[in-house]
Every structure is written in structure tokens, then in C-alpha cells.
Amino acid sequence: MKKFQPRPGFVVQAYRFALDPGAVQEKALRSHCGAARAAYNWAVSWVSASWWQRKAEASYGVPDDQLTEWRTWSLPALRKAFNQAKHTDCRFADWWEENSKEAYSTGLANAAAAFDNYAKSKQDKRKGKRVGMPRRKSKHKARLACRFTTGTIRVEPDRRHVTLPRLGMIRTHESTRKLQRRIANGTARVLSATVRFERGRWFCSFQVEVSKNARTAARPGVVVGVDLGVTCLAVMADSAGEVQYVPNPAHYDAALRHLKRLSRRVSRRQGPDRRTGGKPSRRWAIANAERNHVHHRVANLRQDGLHKLTTAITAEYATVVVEDLNVAGMLRNRRLARKIADAGFAEIRRHITYKTGWAGGETIVANRWYPSSKTCSNCRVVKAKLPLHVRVFACDACGLVIDRDENAARNLAALAAAATTGTGVAGDQDAQASNPRGADRKTRATTRSRKATGGRAGGANLLHQRQEETRDRHQDTEAHTSVTPSRTFPVETPRMLTFD
């Protein structure tokens, strides 16, 4: 499926509203989402059947030209095959007419996208973790979602109802005036609608093509570097010398004690048993709903805080520099995984990226290997090693003593100027930074054993030789950085920002 390209001067934006469906409407919503899951499972089974059939025929010595033909997974092919099978297949023949055709189209489109991701991942054309072959979705674990692209999709003028195909008019929990005003003025056009059950309630998200007025940041000529952390969610240092600390609200940690107590209560109740088909007790359902309510509140507070933070950043600065963090690798640290996941580093970068685009700004992503924490923001000397527990940066060359996160934020702010001018200093992410240890990102191809170095004496001589080489490199580095032009920042008292 090709990504929709908005018209010039328009952007694609989502408007999401909570729904208050009745009992009959909620049953219809669940039916549509179940139909999407059933169509997805049918498509996965239909395509995979030809693969396994060809594999079985090949094991019996059937020639290649006589094997079963491949079944394509393109969306038009899946739709054509499904329309032919839904009348005769016993899984759909009795009830497929109860739901909108968009429900089945949603499942088929998701299946086509899953097979595309699998093929691209197998051919090393897809970034990220390797994607396996699509599997069928479980009735108990699949997320309830359905997308509508055609039919009657509108926001009612009373600003309290939305209309969807086959579902009719559904009341919204909140007013839809923000979207209805734009539609009435002709500055917005609804492209599609997606209903989803998450966090204990139903939501309807409208994909809208919106006309955006040209906006400029409050300080367009100032560059800000954003360094993310656990203790302080974000440390921002701009090119004007101002430093701002945003404390981490740690919503999950604040609710952890309450969640532990509720989880113990749930464990004492009789829950569901999928192995024997046992149903949960009523007291278990009540306790589980109370625990889920706390989880949903934590997620809502986190999302609200991240939106307020990123909106404030993009409204003040036109150029924002962020780091390309390996969040998946950071989550492998069992001591910090919970706090890193609670902070939402990836969401902050995603919000900043599209919000600066709306405001006509620019987001610069620093290289993952750029030593922002190890580089001195005053003289540009790069430290050989800086452990994570060392929270204060002390430069051995110029004697600068500064907070570790503030030093990294200053280096990120200087990176924007270096990226445009190409000065070749440590602030340039493409420049070769000095490395006193001689270490690099790649593992060395050869190593020396004790036998090759002549035992202990040989090893001692080798160690002494490496110490001499390291000392020479360090002296060369100091001589080089002493004549390298650098940017300095006036020292000001940092101010704390809070986003309630």
C-alpha cells in the first residue's frame, strides 16, 4: 500500500475521540474487529498453504515446473480470493454479511503488510529486528481494531456524535468541536476512521488532511540540544547559553506500590484457565479491572506529559538536536529497564520530529556513536572512558567541571552548527574524534596470546609498549585540540521546567 501524500500546504493529522457506545453498538464494534481478525487469519492460512504444499511436493521429487503455483499476497489478489471464498467457506458463510466490507478489508490489508515486511526483512531491505513469517492471531490476545476508508464517515454537526459505516451514529465522550470547525470551514478533509479498544474503552481516530498555517518558533535563530536521561527526563542547552532541566515525573514508580497491592489481590482470586477452559470469578474480574485502571492512568499521564514537553520545545526552538539512542539495547540493562521504558525516549524523538515539521523547523539526529557525553563542551577534548555512574564531567585538559547531561546537551547544540559548516571539530558527527585508547566500534580481527608474546615477560613488554603508544596519542590529541576553534557557552544558572 502506498503512503498517502497530502496536497501542498496540507498535512495528515489524527484526531482521536473517546466513544460511549451502547450495549448493542459495543457488540457490533466487537463483531467488526473480530471479522478483521478472521480475515487476517484466513489470508495467512491461504498464502501459507501454497508454501507448505510446494515444500511437500518437492520432498516427493515433483519437478519444479509441476509444483503448485505460488499464491500472491498483494491486497487486490487477497480481496479477489476472499470474495470468492466467503460464500462457500463455512467459517464465513453464515455471518459475513453482518459486518461492513471494510472490516474484512482491514484484515486483508494487515496480512498483505505482514507478508511484505517478512519478505523485505528476509532480503535485508527492512531496518530493525528480523521479522518472521506471519502467524495467526489469537482470539484472546489480538487487539480489537477496525479501519474504515469508504462509506459514510463523518462528524455530526452537534459535536457529540460520529457516524461510521454499518455502525451508525455513536456518541462521543468528549466534544468534537476542534475537528468539526475545520470541516465546516473547509480546511480539513476526513480520509479514514479507525475504531480501537485500548486502555479499557473504545476510541475513534480520524485520519484528516488539514491545512496548516505557517508557524514560526519563538526563537527561530537559536539551536537547542536535548539530552534524555532517567533522573532528569530532558536536559536542554541552547546556543544562547541557557540550560533547562526537566525532571522525570516517573509516573510508573509513583503507582508501583499501589500496583503491587492490587496485583496481590488479583492473584488471590480465581482467574481464567485457558488450559481447562475455566472462567474467571466475578471477584477476579473486579480486581483485575481495578488494576488495569491504574495501568491506564499511568499510560495517559505519561502520554500527556510527553506531548506537553515536546510541544513546548518545538514552539520555542526551530532547530532541535536529539540523539539516535539504541533504546532496545538499553532495555537489556535489567537495573534500568523499567525506568527507561517509563521515560519514553522513542516517543519524545518521534513527537519532536513531526512537530518541528509542522512548525517549519528542523530536527537533527546525532549519530549513535557521537561521543556527546565524553566530549568537553569547552575545549573539545574527548575522554577515553566515562562510566555511567560518573554523573559529573571533569575535563583533564581545561579543568571544566560540569554536569554530565548538561555537557552532552551543549555538545548536541554545537552539533547543528558543525553539521552546516563542516568544521571538523568534535562537534561534527562525521568527523573522526580523537581516541586515546585506539578503540573503535569494530572487534579486532586478531589477538595476541600469552604464547605469542613470550609468556609473562612478553606480556609485560607488550603492556609497556601500549602504554607508551597511548601516552603519545594523548599528547598528540592535546596538541591538536589546543589550536582547534571551538564554541564556548556563557555559564548561567539553570532553571527547572515542570509540565503538569
Side-chain angles (χ1 to χ4, degrees):
M1 297 179 62
K2 295 183 179 180
K3 187 177 180 181
F4 176 80
Q5 296 294 336
R7 293 174 292 174
F10 289 77
V11 298
V12 176
Q13 184 176 345
Y15 286 83
R16 193 175 73 157
F17 306 99
L19 301 178
D20 287 334
V24 177
Q25 292 176 336
E26 184 172 3
K27 183 179 179 181
L29 287 171
R30 291 186 178 274
S31 178
H32 277 71
C33 296
R37 178 189 56 83
Y40 176 90
N41 291 341
W42 177 90
V44 171
S45 301
W46 185 75
V47 175
S48 302
S50 65
W51 296 8
W52 293 113
Q53 181 66 22
R54 289 177 61 91
K55 187 175 181 179
E57 293 174 353
S59 65
Y60 286 106
V62 179
D64 294 344
D65 57 345
Q66 299 180 8
L67 295 177
T68 302
E69 295 183 0
W70 293 101
R71 289 177 176 175
T72 179
W73 60 74
S74 64
L75 182 57
L78 291 178
R79 283 178 175 172
K80 183 178 180 180
F82 179 79
N83 289 333
Q84 296 174 355
K86 66 184 180 181
H87 299 281
T88 58
D89 196 327
C90 61
R91 293 172 293 181
F92 303 98
D94 297 334
W95 56 272
W96 70 268
E97 295 180 348
E98 299 177 2
N99 304 304
S100 172
K101 66 180 181 64
E102 292 297 315
Y104 307 103
S105 181
T106 299
L108 299 178
N110 292 341
F115 279 107
D116 285 339
N117 292 336
Y118 168 67
K120 293 179 181 178
S121 178
K122 195 172 183 180
Q123 299 171 3
D124 294 332
K125 296 181 180 179
R126 186 179 186 275
K127 296 182 180 180
K129 190 178 180 180
R130 183 63 62 90
V131 177
M133 185 176 176
R135 294 181 294 180
R136 295 170 58 90
K137 293 183 179 181
S138 171
K139 179 179 180 181
H140 305 283
K141 298 181 181 179
R143 296 182 178 179
L144 302 179
C146 179
R147 187 185 182 195
F148 300 90
T149 57
T150 60
T152 305
I153 306 173
R154 66 171 178 264
V155 179
E156 297 298 335
D158 62 355
R159 302 178 181 179
R160 275 297 181 179
H161 294 84
V162 296
T163 302
L164 300 174
R166 293 298 296 270
L167 296 173
M169 188 181 300
I170 305 177
R171 182 174 176 81
T172 58
H173 184 74
E174 52 192 333
S175 175
T176 61
R177 62 180 180 277
K178 292 183 179 180
L179 177 58
Q180 205 279 331
R181 285 175 182 173
R182 284 185 169 274
I183 295 177
N185 296 334
T187 58
R189 181 168 64 97
V190 177
L191 304 176
S192 64
T194 303
V195 291
R196 184 187 302 272
F197 183 79
E198 60 181 9
R199 300 179 188 176
R201 68 185 316 156
W202 288 94
F203 291 90
C204 181
S205 177
F206 291 94
Q207 187 182 24
V208 185
E209 187 184 36
V210 182
S211 174
K212 281 288 184 181
N213 298 326
R215 296 186 303 171
T216 58
R219 305 167 68 184
V222 183
V223 180
V224 64
V226 181
D227 181 77
L228 304 178
V230 175
T231 304
C232 285
L233 180 59
V235 179
M236 298 177 290
D238 54 35
S239 56
E242 185 176 354
V243 181
Q244 305 173 19
Y245 286 81
V246 180
N248 189 357
H251 299 293
Y252 186 79
D253 288 347
L256 188 58
R257 185 176 180 181
H258 191 197
L259 284 173
K260 288 181 178 180
R261 181 173 59 85
L262 295 177
S263 297
R264 288 194 297 267
R265 179 184 301 176
V266 173
S267 64
R268 291 192 293 264
R269 306 291 191 262
Q270 183 178 354
D273 191 348
R274 294 177 182 173
R275 184 183 58 181
T276 61
K279 295 184 178 180
S281 65
R282 181 172 177 272
R283 298 175 73 239
W284 181 92
I286 295 175
N288 187 55
E290 187 177 356
R291 179 182 60 176
N292 291 341
H293 177 74
V294 178
H295 278 294
H296 299 157
R297 176 172 173 78
V298 169
N300 292 331
L301 289 174
R302 182 190 301 115
Q303 183 180 18
D304 180 71
L306 295 183
H307 271 293
K308 289 180 179 179
L309 170 61
T310 53
T311 300
I313 294 175
T314 55
E316 185 174 0
Y317 303 100
T319 304
V320 184
V321 186
V322 294
E323 291 181 297
D324 182 19
L325 298 176
N326 182 17
V327 181
M330 297 168 66
L331 291 177
R332 297 191 185 101
N333 186 340
R334 61 186 180 88
R335 291 183 175 87
L336 297 176
R338 187 182 78 240
K339 294 183 178 296
I340 292 174
D342 186 27
F345 292 161
E347 280 295 293
I348 294 177
R349 174 181 167 183
R350 186 179 70 88
H351 290 179
I352 290 178
T353 301
Y354 76 78
K355 288 181 181 180
T356 51
W358 287 353
E362 180 185 7
T363 301
I364 300 177
V365 181
N367 191 292
R368 180 171 294 182
W369 303 99
Y370 170 61
S372 60
S373 298
K374 298 180 181 179
T375 305
C376 178
S377 59
N378 185 31
C379 64
R380 304 303 186 201
V381 172
V382 182
K383 274 184 173 292
K385 192 174 182 180
L386 188 64
L388 186 61
H389 68 273
V390 178
R391 306 312 304 169
V392 178
F393 179 87
C395 181
D396 300 331
C398 65
L400 176 67
V401 178
I402 192 174
D403 180 74
R404 175 195 180 111
D405 297 333
E406 180 181 345
N407 179 69
R410 291 177 181 271
N411 287 325
L412 291 175
L415 181 63
T420 56
T421 59
T423 56
V425 297
D428 192 350
Q429 60 177 337
D430 297 327
Q432 296 294 333
S434 59
N435 200 340
R437 293 188 302 162
D440 52 21
R441 288 176 283 177
K442 299 180 180 179
T443 306
R444 298 185 182 278
T446 59
T447 57
R448 289 195 177 188
S449 61
R450 288 172 58 95
K451 184 176 180 180
T453 55
R456 179 175 299 179
N461 294 334
L462 179 61
L463 178 61
H464 180 71
Q465 180 181 0
R466 290 181 177 177
Q467 290 177 349
E468 292 290 340
E469 294 176 357
T470 302
R471 188 181 301 109
D472 295 340
R473 291 195 194 98
H474 188 58
Q475 293 176 358
D476 296 341
T477 301
E478 292 180 350
H480 173 72
T481 54
S482 62
V483 296
T484 302
S486 61
R487 297 173 58 187
T488 59
F489 298 86
V491 179
E492 293 186 2
T493 303
R495 58 188 177 95
M496 303 290 291
L497 292 185
T498 57
F499 298 93
D500 299 327

